Amino acid sequence: MDVHLKKLWNTLEKVDEQAAVVRAWGAWLAGSLGRGGRLLVCGNGGSAAEAQHLSAELVGRFRDDRRPYAAIALHADTSSMTAIANDFGAEEVYARQVRAHGRPGDVLLCLSTSGSSPNVLAAARAAREGEVLAWAMTGPGPNPLTELCDGAVVVPSEETATVQEVHLAMIHLLCEALEEAL
């Protein structure tokens, strides 16, 4: 087996027990979205791409044709993001949007391979202040983000690419669990 694929395979085996957490998140999220709640998602770089992928699956569809759900990838509004960075600093680009869009009962999913990105940590703190449930998908733990969030899936790999690939698998599992719960 190719070395990259072997690393991915071995890491997937290590996170298999965390699938139950993601499935529970999917069921909870189905209830929240079904009641008119929102999913806010944030991350940087490849994690931002995964955040946007998740919001597209919920606003569009994953497998089943169903009504669209409110899911916002916080980096995708470039005008807001650049204005916030300019006026308040890069650390606030997600936190300020969580304060604007998040309501009690909504969910913030924070994606971070390091678990220590200052703007993602600030978003998790803003979620806590606003009674928004915060979940994290990170690389190896413990890390500052897992400590700030209400729940976390931790991927035990030092390889950024492997962490991101496992996060994508977990995102698809979240979508599957959500659609099953509907």
Side-chain angles (χ1 to χ4, degrees):
M1 179 181 282
D2 181 80
V3 173
H4 179 81
L5 295 176
K6 188 168 182 116
K7 286 178 189 177
L8 178 58
W9 182 272
N10 290 336
T11 304
L12 284 168
E13 287 182 329
K14 291 176 186 173
V15 299
D16 185 50
E17 70 276 358
Q18 295 184 70
V21 171
V22 176
R23 287 196 175 279
W25 287 359
W28 200 97
L29 190 57
S32 176
L33 296 175
R35 291 186 301 273
R38 290 178 212 130
L39 174 66
L40 309 176
V41 196
C42 67
N44 298 305
S47 295
E50 291 182 2
Q52 196 163 352
H53 183 106
L54 174 56
S55 67
E57 299 284 23
L58 297 182
V59 175
R61 71 171 182 191
F62 177 61
R63 287 198 181 112
D64 298 331
D65 190 12
R66 50 150 172 80
R67 68 175 245 211
Y69 290 102
I72 303 168
L74 297 178
H75 72 281
D77 183 351
T78 56
S79 295
S80 289
M81 199 165 138
T82 58
I84 294 165
N86 186 61
D87 295 345
F88 299 97
E91 190 171 311
E92 285 295 306
V93 296
Y94 297 137
R96 192 153 179 93
Q97 292 181 78
V98 169
R99 290 184 195 103
H101 300 300
R103 304 288 179 266
D106 288 349
V107 176
L108 170 69
L109 177 59
C110 300
L111 301 168
S112 175
T113 57
S114 70
S116 61
S117 302
N119 57 356
V120 177
L121 294 172
R125 284 190 288 275
R128 186 176 275 179
E129 293 162 8
E131 299 177 39
V132 172
L133 188 64
W135 297 329
M137 287 188 187
T138 74
N143 57 62
L145 187 57
T146 62
E147 301 300 319
L148 282 173
C149 289
D150 300 295
V153 169
V154 176
V155 179
S157 175
E158 299 298 326
E159 298 278 336
T160 297
T162 301
V163 172
Q164 289 172 338
E165 289 162 345
V166 172
H167 284 176
L168 184 57
M170 292 297 186
I171 285 168
H172 285 153
L173 182 61
L174 179 67
C175 292
E176 182 178 270
L178 183 144
E179 288 190 353
E180 287 172 359
L182 296 171

